[in-house]
Amino acid sequence: MSLKLFLDMISQPCRSVFLFAKKNNLPVEVKLISLKNGEQHTEKFRKVNPLRKVPALKDGDFCMGESIPMMEYMAEKFNTPDHWFPKDLQKRARVNEYLSWQHLGIRRVCFKLLSLREEVDGPVVKLEVPEDKMARAMEDLNWSLDLIEKTFIKDGGFIGGEQISIADLVAIVEIMQPFASGVDVFQGRAKLSAWKERVVQAVGKELFDEAHKTILSAKDSVKQLDSSKVEYFRPRVLRLIS
Amino acid sequence: MELYLDLFSQPCRAVFLLAKVLEIPFEFKYVNLATGQHLGDEFGKISMMRKVPVMKDGEFVLTESTAILEYMVQKHRAPDHWFPSELLLRARINEYLSWQHTNLRAHGSKIFLLKMLFPLMMGCEVPKEKMDAAMEDLNMSLIQLENYFLQNKPFIIGDKISVADIVAMAEIMQPVGTGVDVFTGRPTLSAWRDRVTAQVGVELFKEANEVIMKAKDLSQNIDKTALEMMKPKFQKMFS
């Protein structure tokens, strides 16, 4: 297969790309990259994505990064059903609106903080996350989730409207991330939970569970982290919490 | 079409520029961020997101500049180069527009916020390490813009200007407005800036950037009540 996807399932954008490709049975080859082993820094991977990030896509000589454009590329190339990325002017605009907002609206430090909680408190950096920073992170998280429930998710439907789209995949993988440190954001949020069930049903439970297997066992993988890799993560974690 | 804008804001400048270049008729609805107008009840009726830009096209209300830009190009059937339909070019422009949110946009904004708002909100000068770290991040984004996105092409996606160049330029002008010179010692970036300015038109470019280039006056013009209202949010962000 000429189209290759380079993914690490610990990463939210990788999961949305994986879900999209697999749900649509696209003729793509998935190559797993280990971020914690620094595989994104190899010479081989740099040829695929000089920005050294996952997900990355290689289609013949064409290489690109950024999950949302990758899904749009595959949607166009393989002519997936319209609802994933509708062509209608206003429907497209609604999906784009969420996809743009979410970069800063939900993909924020608070999620990283939450998912890093284990790494910071645990064996990696051996630091306490300051209580006030955690409280602020939770506040930001709740604010974002309120907005998603009230403004973006249509009643009884999905983010873009009545059918699932790329926007829902991008949203669900971010909202699942806190599970990696034992935080269940669906608790007490009936509308969000109902939307999640619709997304899981639309994607298929087996595929959804497969995509999230890695983050649900994240706590264990951190304990196995090679101590030589700790130095790679330390400045990044410190920067995030400072 | 109504466009709710404050030209202090990078995404507003991008939307303003494209609408003007494409000669799309619109009503400019000024939202004065410095007076906290975006937090008021009236603006809340337009958009709960409390951000600018907002586009109101008949009854259809849309936020998020990249969504608005694509909408304008699609609706008004702008020349293809603005948002190319060819598969690979479309992928490249989307790649830039996605990357820039948490890279050039985030880092350019941070410089602006630190230089212009930190002293007002925190009552002291920005600590050197904070400013140095922010400049390092901005420089990394500019290096990536030059070496990965531009390379030796005239514009981000090739021979012709697109929405990506408009968005990139709007973000770069934010730290520039605070007095940071990002162009000296960067011939690739400078040449690209000149090309973008020429394509958009020197007068229009100047008009769009008039407000940001007077950013240093912000501290005198910011409304004291609005300042107090916005302090908790910014103090949280800066600490």
Side-chain angles (χ1 to χ4, degrees):
Chain A
M1 280 174 265
S2 74
L3 197 155
K4 296 180 175 54
L5 295 172
F6 297 81
L7 310 176
D8 183 335
M9 300 301 278
I10 195 89
S11 134
Q12 307 90 304
C14 287
R15 292 200 297 276
S16 53
V17 168
F18 178 84
L19 282 170
F20 181 74
K22 291 295 179 186
K23 174 64 190 171
N24 285 289
N25 290 312
L26 301 183
V28 304
E29 191 184 334
V30 171
K31 290 194 164 291
L32 294 178
I33 296 284
S34 169
L35 294 176
K36 75 172 194 276
N37 290 337
E39 282 177 27
Q40 70 275 36
H41 297 293
T42 61
E43 207 37 58
K44 195 172 168 188
F45 186 78
R46 272 197 224 205
K47 289 188 179 134
V48 176
N49 188 359
L51 297 178
R52 292 175 283 152
K53 292 215 168 137
V54 286
L57 177 155
K58 187 170 171 13
D59 190 6
D61 289 332
F62 179 70
C63 294
M64 68 182 296
E66 298 297 314
S67 61
I68 295 162
M70 279 165 61
M71 286 186 281
E72 292 177 19
Y73 175 84
M74 290 190 288
E76 185 64 34
K77 176 165 178 150
F78 297 112
N79 203 23
T80 53
D82 183 70
H83 63 83
W84 286 110
F85 195 55
K87 289 195 167 39
D88 170 78
L89 179 70
Q90 292 190 359
K91 287 184 184 170
R92 164 81 49 113
R94 279 286 164 252
V95 171
N96 279 337
E97 189 181 38
Y98 181 78
L99 293 174
S100 171
W101 174 85
Q102 63 87 34
H103 284 276
L104 297 172
I106 195 109
R107 255 184 90 62
R108 304 171 141 206
V109 170
C110 58
F111 278 95
K112 288 191 175 169
L113 256 178
L114 290 167
S115 59
L116 279 169
R117 195 163 68 178
E118 277 299 313
E119 290 166 22
V120 172
D121 288 348
V124 177
V125 178
K126 291 196 191 324
L127 264 183
E128 281 289 313
V129 178
E131 260 314 304
D132 58 334
K133 280 207 188 296
M134 276 311 295
R136 282 206 294 266
M138 284 307 301
E139 211 178 286
D140 285 344
L141 172 58
N142 281 321
W143 179 84
S144 290
L145 293 174
D146 283 346
L147 219 46
I148 289 177
E149 277 190 312
K150 290 176 189 155
T151 315
F152 287 109
I153 298 176
K154 305 294 169 277
D155 284 328
F158 297 90
I159 290 174
E162 287 166 20
Q163 289 184 283
I164 193 170
S165 72
I166 285 171
D168 301 281
L169 297 184
V170 167
I172 198 80
V173 296
E174 292 296 339
I175 297 172
M176 288 297 291
Q177 198 71 359
F179 269 105
S181 44
V183 177
D184 179 358
V185 305
F186 295 100
Q187 250 179 35
R189 286 183 182 274
K191 194 174 177 194
L192 199 71
S193 303
W195 164 77
K196 182 203 171 197
E197 287 319 306
R198 288 192 292 273
V199 172
V200 171
Q201 204 175 49
V203 152
K205 190 172 184 325
E206 212 176 294
L207 177 59
F208 187 85
D209 288 348
E210 187 190 348
H212 289 92
K213 204 169 50 181
T214 306
I215 56 149
L216 293 174
S217 59
K219 286 179 189 185
D220 300 327
S221 75
V222 164
K223 291 186 175 65
Q224 290 156 23
L225 192 66
D226 184 330
S227 59
S228 67
K229 302 289 185 303
V230 168
E231 288 315 306
Y232 169 75
F233 282 109
R234 193 189 299 268
R236 279 153 184 77
V237 173
L238 288 174
R239 189 100 145 202
L240 265 171
I241 64 170
S242 65
Chain B
M1 184 172 83
E2 292 170 354
L3 290 175
Y4 292 78
L5 309 170
D6 183 334
L7 295 182
F8 247 121
S9 135
Q10 309 89 305
C12 286
R13 289 198 292 277
V15 166
F16 174 82
L17 261 172
L18 189 72
K20 286 285 203 179
V21 165
L22 296 183
E23 294 177 349
I24 297 171
F26 70 91
E27 197 182 331
F28 187 118
K29 298 280 215 182
Y30 179 41
V31 180
N32 190 340
L33 297 176
T35 62
Q37 195 181 342
H38 55 303
L39 302 171
D41 290 337
E42 210 177 305
F43 186 74
K45 291 179 194 148
I46 303 291
S47 170
M48 263 180 68
M49 308 302 281
R50 305 256 173 213
K51 288 188 174 176
V52 282
V54 179
M55 178 200 82
K56 192 164 184 292
D57 189 14
E59 290 309 308
F60 186 67
V61 177
L62 186 64
T63 64
E64 296 296 318
S65 63
T66 49
I68 295 171
L69 293 165
E70 188 175 338
Y71 179 95
M72 290 197 300
V73 167
Q74 194 177 337
K75 174 156 184 184
H76 296 273
R77 298 188 216 282
D80 187 70
H81 65 86
W82 284 108
F83 208 85
S85 43
E86 191 275 324
L87 183 67
L88 301 190
L89 291 178
R90 174 64 62 104
R92 282 280 169 248
I93 193 174
N94 280 333
E95 189 185 29
Y96 181 77
L97 293 175
S98 175
W99 171 88
Q100 60 93 30
H101 283 277
T102 49
N103 290 279
L104 185 56
R105 170 157 172 65
H107 301 140
S109 296
K110 190 151 192 193
I111 296 289
F112 173 82
L113 291 172
L114 287 177
K115 286 201 145 202
M116 296 291 116
L117 289 179
F118 190 102
L120 285 173
M121 298 291 175
M122 309 298 278
C124 61
E125 286 307 302
V126 185
K128 187 176 185 302
E129 325 78 64
K130 233 180 169 64
M131 188 56 97
D132 286 349
M135 280 304 306
E136 202 182 299
D137 287 340
L138 176 63
N139 282 328
M140 177 53 75
S141 286
L142 292 172
I143 288 169
Q144 288 172 342
L145 171 59
E146 281 187 307
N147 296 347
Y148 181 73
F149 290 103
L150 268 172
Q151 294 179 27
N152 49 11
K153 302 186 254 88
F155 298 97
I156 288 173
I157 55 149
D159 291 333
K160 294 202 175 169
I161 193 170
S162 73
V163 158
D165 303 283
I166 300 289
V167 167
M169 188 58 75
E171 294 299 338
I172 288 175
M173 292 307 287
Q174 203 73 357
V176 167
T178 68
V180 174
D181 178 6
V182 305
F183 295 110
T184 302
R186 292 200 162 95
T188 304
L189 204 69
S190 303
W192 166 77
R193 174 207 51 201
D194 294 342
R195 285 190 288 272
V196 172
T197 312
Q199 281 291 300
V200 153
V202 170
E203 282 312 308
L204 179 57
F205 188 83
K206 221 165 123 183
E207 186 189 350
N209 290 295
E210 203 181 324
V211 169
I212 192 61
M213 290 311 289
K214 292 190 202 148
K216 292 184 174 156
D217 299 336
L218 177 66
S219 53
Q220 284 110 51
N221 297 333
I222 198 162
D223 182 275
K224 298 291 177 278
T225 325
L227 185 71
E228 286 310 308
M229 207 173 16
M230 294 189 271
K231 246 188 200 173
K233 174 187 160 190
F234 283 102
Q235 284 173 343
K236 190 161 119 167
M237 197 193 297
F238 288 141
S239 59

